[in-house]
Amino acid sequence: MASLHITRVKREFREVVSSEEAQKSQIKIEIIDESDLTKLKGTVIGPPDTPFEGGTYILDIRIPDTYPFNPPKVKFVTKIWHPNISSVTGAICLDILKDQWAAAMTLRTVLLSIQALLQAAEPDDPQDAVVAKQYKGDPELYRKTAKHWAQTYAGAPKTTDDAEISAKIDTLLQMGITETKAREALSTHSWNLEAAVDSLFT
Amino acid sequence: MAFDSQESQTSSVGDYYESEEEEEDDYKYFEEEDLMEDSETFSKENSDPEWYEHSCMPSQEVWSIIKKEVCQLSQDLQVTDPIARLLLYSTKWDKSLAVSKFNGDKNQFFIDAHIHPSKPKRQPLEPCTECPICFSSDDANYQLYCGHSFCCDCWISYIISKLERGVSLGIECMDCDVLMGFEVIDTLLVKRSSVIRRYYQLALSQIVESHPLLRWCPGRDCDMVFAVKEPLPKRIQCTHCNLATCFQCGEEYHSPTDCESFKNWLLKCRDDSETAHYITSNTKDCPKCSSAIEKNGGCNHIRCTKCSFDFCWMCLSAWAKHNNEYYACSRYQADPDVMKAKVTKAREALKKYIFYFERWDNHHKSLLLEEETRFKIQTRIKEQVSNGEGTWIDWQYLLDAADLLRKCRYTLKYTYPRAYWMIGDKKHLFEYQQAQLELEIENLSWKVERATITDRADLERQMAVTEIRRVTLLRDFKHY
């Protein structure tokens, strides 16, 4: 008989596939390698009325041997600008993935909780302090940045075309900075070109 | 014989009082107070400021204390023992708080204590035969009081995974925040004695750590627990490993310094001592920004890397004033300028620290030497006894003297951190008493070392005086 964590993964995989949310293609789960069920690929769609709307977010899911008594390890592969998710590593700060995990939870509940996190950020419990500061201090700029990231990395539909943003990134590109680094530096410094340049060259 | 020696000691204390009128008044005053007070506790505390009621027990005995506390509460509140234990766990073993909360919003208290779930169940659980964790229906399911039911194998694996992370008393239901009581653990783990042992081991250590009136002995590999009636920063001594510590902070016993100052002092010693010694002996401070500068060769023209000030290593004044004297400074400073004052201030702080540290360290080293002295005294007594000069018991007072010396020096050592952090008028008095104690200790030390050849009455008088100085200082400068 297969060990408990594998049995669970198989069952939960079926649960996600047949779930109502998956039918509406809100969440998705895929097996990367049939012989290794401890590595999974999850997908959540950015919920409506958020800067992430329409974006497709890929998640890296690792199942520990002690699953389901310990939580799965989940992180974002797709880059995202969100107070509870690291803009650099994709690490997620979510209680149920840490001490609030309960063995009765499933991959479906995990994916739905992550989607809920995209809908309602918790800036008081931040993973990425820079984003959280911006979220609280300048919500408009946060939305703009998050949307820009969603359009760039998560394939969210381009509803606005921000020429100013592109121009600033282009300026940095000409200085020999990679696009990812340029975007990170500009986002971190509230799209202030001078501050971004300073941070990159000191 | 032993009784004799005891008696002669007390009589010599009396001698001392007769010769010192001032002290005699003191003595009488305390004696009267002692007589007036019926309570033994009070009088003991008065005559010995270090006296602290505490017991030291092997850790397993803690269970009987806990059992008693749980029993009392369960009787008072008319609840079951497991519930009473969870209530006490939530109030950190504060019984009166548990009673008042119970009489207040009882429902909320039960939620806070994780006896009732904080959120209502997500869906009404139908009695199902399949375990929601492993989906097998082979095993009998076990239902916790919250209504969540899983198979025993899953419960056990879950408990083991929690124990591996050091959680014991705080193990919650797999689906909500209701805590699992001892009786649940006992039922589930009935066949797994090694797991159950691990559980109770962790639970015990968690109880001792969270209980305000209990403390583990900090001695290495020591399994003893202290129990007190009132948590105070006072001396507790392990009956097993002999280590004397402070009940409140668990550090070595540090009266008359308070816990926080002592912690700061240790921190400072760890961080600063070696560096400070090096700095004083090898560096000078920049006259402008006071950073410490080490001269590593070359000429006397120094430029501070921090503030770029150019100055002369010899006279510490601006290099610009030096005109052509490049390699030697012969400028005589008649009036040191303001810069110099600033430099002195920084150095002064360092000097102050070194002053106290040296004394602290010196007494620390002397304490170690006192161990040797005690050993030497023992050999000397052996010699005397084998030469037919008195019996072992006759010479016992020498060991008493050595023990007293050690005790006094210990207190003296710990006066230095206190003095270091002390400010204001009290400091003068403190340092005066400290100096007095220091003086008597040195006298005592001298006499102990030459004990076999000096007068016994003289030594015993010295012992009494020193102990009085010590007790007075401790009493006058209570640290709590």
Side-chain angles (χ1 to χ4, degrees):
Chain A
M1 193 190 131
S3 50
L4 178 56
H5 68 290
I6 299 297
T7 322
R8 279 275 304 222
V9 169
K10 283 183 183 159
R11 175 100 175 208
E12 288 177 29
F13 182 74
R14 284 204 297 277
E15 185 199 26
V16 174
V17 171
S18 61
S19 71
E20 199 186 320
E21 297 83 9
Q23 308 284 320
K24 291 188 204 151
S25 54
Q26 285 299 302
I27 57 172
K28 201 162 94 182
I29 197 155
E30 289 161 82
I31 292 167
I32 301 170
D33 176 1
E34 283 290 344
S35 63
D36 183 6
L37 290 177
T38 62
K39 288 188 191 121
L40 302 168
K41 182 179 156 192
T43 309
V44 292
I45 302 298
D49 301 321
T50 67
F52 316 103
E53 182 171 358
T56 307
Y57 290 93
I58 309 291
L59 301 158
D60 176 48
I61 305 172
R62 301 284 166 104
I63 309 292
D65 296 347
T66 48
Y67 188 78
F69 305 110
N70 283 321
K73 293 183 169 57
V74 186
K75 67 174 194 174
F76 271 78
V77 177
T78 312
K79 287 178 84 61
I80 183 168
W81 191 254
H82 185 285
N84 303 102
I85 300 156
S86 166
S87 58
V88 183
T89 64
I92 308 170
C93 179
L94 182 60
D95 55 357
I96 64 148
L97 292 177
K98 292 178 179 134
D99 52 331
Q100 291 300 307
W101 170 256
M105 289 177 178
T106 63
L107 293 173
R108 177 175 159 255
T109 44
V110 168
L111 292 178
L112 291 178
S113 300
I114 290 173
Q115 203 178 32
L117 187 69
L118 297 186
Q119 208 144 25
E122 287 181 36
D124 292 326
D125 188 15
Q127 171 77 38
D128 195 312
V130 177
V131 185
K133 205 176 150 201
Q134 194 184 66
Y135 181 93
K136 291 184 105 174
D138 191 347
E140 196 42 54
L141 190 66
Y142 158 74
R143 262 195 296 279
K144 203 168 109 181
T145 312
K147 204 164 186 172
H148 173 69
W149 281 52
Q151 288 169 1
T152 313
Y153 296 115
K158 282 204 186 250
T159 47
T160 49
D161 187 39
D162 211 323
E164 197 192 343
I165 286 182
S166 317
K168 281 177 181 169
I169 291 177
D170 278 345
T171 315
L172 287 181
L173 285 178
Q174 280 158 20
M175 292 180 185
I177 308 289
T178 63
E179 193 183 326
T180 317
K181 278 216 161 150
R183 187 170 292 109
E184 258 169 33
L186 283 164
S187 303
T188 306
H189 294 93
S190 308
W191 298 95
N192 179 327
L193 192 58
E194 267 174 48
V197 169
D198 270 359
S199 77
L200 285 165
F201 290 99
T202 46
Chain B
M1 228 11 205
F3 187 64
D4 271 347
S5 114
Q6 189 78 25
E7 211 172 44
S8 66
Q9 194 177 319
T10 27
S11 73
S12 69
V13 173
D15 287 349
Y16 168 73
Y17 282 120
E18 269 155 43
S19 60
E20 298 260 335
E21 271 187 23
E22 226 183 80
E23 299 281 359
E24 192 189 1
D25 285 344
D26 257 340
Y27 185 66
K28 273 190 178 158
Y29 170 72
F30 279 108
E31 199 170 53
E32 269 164 23
E33 207 170 50
D34 283 359
L35 289 173
M36 270 155 49
E37 268 300 322
D38 284 339
S39 152
E40 200 191 342
T41 318
F42 194 80
S43 68
K44 268 190 183 161
E45 204 168 359
N46 243 352
S47 61
D48 178 6
E50 286 179 303
W51 189 81
Y52 186 34
E53 194 176 356
H54 69 274
S55 54
C56 183
M57 64 190 88
S59 59
Q60 287 306 318
E61 282 178 30
V62 169
W63 288 118
S64 61
I65 296 183
I66 295 301
K67 208 171 169 185
K68 218 165 96 189
E69 287 182 8
V70 168
C71 261
Q72 270 176 1
L73 189 74
S74 64
Q75 275 166 15
D76 288 1
L77 301 183
Q78 296 292 317
V79 292
T80 61
D81 278 4
I83 295 215
R85 195 187 55 77
L86 290 171
L87 292 177
L88 277 175
Y89 174 61
S90 82
T91 60
K92 292 216 153 63
W93 315 98
D94 186 336
K95 194 186 152 205
S96 50
L97 181 65
V99 172
S100 75
K101 275 187 149 181
F102 188 85
N103 293 329
D105 188 348
K106 185 174 154 188
N107 220 11
Q108 186 58 44
F109 185 30
F110 273 54
I111 290 173
D112 292 345
H114 295 247
I115 296 168
H116 291 164
S118 59
K119 287 177 217 143
K121 265 176 279 169
R122 269 178 248 154
Q123 60 220 26
L125 288 176
E126 295 144 28
C128 56
T129 47
E130 194 181 66
C131 166
I133 301 272
C134 65
F135 315 117
S136 100
S137 44
D138 310 340
D139 252 336
N141 280 7
Y142 180 87
Q143 192 175 31
L144 202 63
Y145 3 85
C146 51
H148 292 117
S149 168
F150 304 96
C151 77
C152 293
D153 273 355
C154 282
W155 277 119
I156 294 170
S157 313
Y158 170 70
I159 293 169
I160 293 173
S161 79
K162 283 284 179 184
L163 292 179
E164 275 166 7
R165 276 183 286 163
V167 187
S168 58
L169 292 178
I171 302 183
E172 297 172 337
C173 166
M174 283 197 267
D175 207 11
C176 65
D177 57 1
V178 163
L179 286 173
M180 300 172 82
F182 286 176
E183 74 294 351
V184 179
I185 300 288
D186 289 343
T187 316
L188 285 169
L189 296 178
V190 70
K191 286 179 198 147
R192 306 288 293 268
S193 57
S194 66
V195 183
I196 226 170
R197 218 174 305 128
R198 178 84 189 119
Y199 175 85
Y200 281 106
Q201 205 180 354
L202 275 172
L204 178 72
S205 110
Q206 222 178 326
I207 287 174
V208 174
E209 273 152 33
S210 65
H211 201 300
L213 300 179
L214 299 175
R215 178 180 272 286
W216 284 105
C217 170
R220 190 178 294 170
D221 295 330
C222 189
D223 189 44
M224 302 295 273
V225 172
F226 295 106
V228 297
K229 291 202 164 137
E230 187 190 0
L232 286 172
K234 295 188 86 170
R235 184 176 194 270
I236 44 174
Q237 187 163 23
C238 180
T239 50
H240 179 71
C241 72
N242 251 339
L243 191 71
T245 46
C246 163
F247 181 79
Q248 193 149 292
C249 67
E251 285 287 354
E252 55 197 286
Y253 175 60
H254 51 69
S255 186
T257 309
D258 62 281
C259 299
E260 209 194 326
S261 308
F262 185 61
K263 204 177 129 208
N264 289 339
W265 172 257
L266 287 182
L267 210 69
K268 198 168 173 59
C269 289
R270 262 198 291 275
D271 291 353
D272 292 1
S273 292
E274 281 176 38
T275 331
H277 282 301
Y278 187 85
I279 290 173
T280 26
S281 47
N282 296 293
T283 71
K284 289 183 181 179
D285 293 341
C286 164
K288 200 171 174 193
C289 72
S290 304
S291 352
I293 293 172
E294 181 188 12
K295 189 172 182 290
N296 55 0
C299 72
N300 286 329
H301 180 175
I302 304 287
R303 168 174 284 180
C304 174
T305 42
K306 257 194 181 155
C307 69
S308 307
F309 180 66
D310 293 273
F311 66 95
C312 164
W313 184 253
M314 296 307 293
C315 69
L316 293 177
S317 55
W319 187 254
K321 291 185 194 167
H322 280 68
N323 301 325
N324 293 326
E325 308 158 48
Y326 289 121
Y327 298 102
C329 173
S330 50
R331 282 166 59 85
Y332 172 70
Q333 290 235 314
D335 48 337
D337 51 12
V338 194
M339 278 182 186
K340 199 117 188 177
K342 209 171 153 190
V343 176
T344 341
K345 210 175 155 193
R347 280 284 142 165
E348 217 36 63
L350 198 62
K351 256 161 90 186
K352 177 187 165 190
Y353 165 69
I354 299 231
F355 176 89
Y356 288 101
F357 179 78
E358 273 174 1
R359 274 147 191 82
W360 151 271
D361 194 47
N362 176 40
H363 288 298
H364 175 74
K365 285 175 185 145
S366 300
L367 258 177
L368 298 177
L369 289 175
E370 284 337 338
E371 295 285 333
E372 267 174 48
T373 314
R374 195 177 194 281
F375 183 73
K376 273 188 213 150
I377 288 176
Q378 256 167 339
T379 4
R380 226 153 48 194
I381 294 177
K382 256 184 215 157
E383 276 168 26
Q384 302 274 17
V385 173
S386 60
N387 290 342
E389 289 182 45
T391 65
W392 181 263
I393 289 164
D394 290 333
W395 294 107
Q396 196 58 38
Y397 76 97
L398 280 182
L399 288 179
D400 292 343
D403 290 341
L404 182 80
L405 176 61
R406 206 164 42 179
K407 195 160 110 183
C408 291
R409 209 182 269 291
Y410 189 91
T411 305
L412 184 61
K413 174 183 166 191
Y414 290 86
T415 59
Y416 284 98
R418 169 96 182 244
Y420 178 80
W421 300 107
M422 221 177 198
I423 38 165
D425 296 342
K426 269 185 100 181
K427 189 168 181 170
H428 291 295
L429 184 60
F430 185 78
E431 290 194 325
Y432 171 74
Q433 294 204 12
Q434 189 187 36
Q436 294 288 313
L437 178 62
E438 179 121 40
L439 177 78
E440 300 303 347
I441 286 177
E442 287 319 310
N443 285 339
L444 181 64
S445 184
W446 194 89
K447 283 175 183 166
V448 167
E449 271 169 34
R450 291 155 186 80
T452 36
I453 45 167
T454 49
D455 185 23
R456 173 171 173 181
D458 186 40
L459 177 66
E460 282 177 345
R461 191 158 49 238
Q462 187 61 48
M463 281 165 69
V465 177
T466 318
E467 174 65 358
I468 285 163
R469 291 274 185 233
R470 188 183 80 90
V471 170
T472 315
L473 187 140
L474 286 177
R475 193 186 293 129
D476 290 353
F477 293 92
K478 252 181 152 175
H479 60 289
Y480 56 91

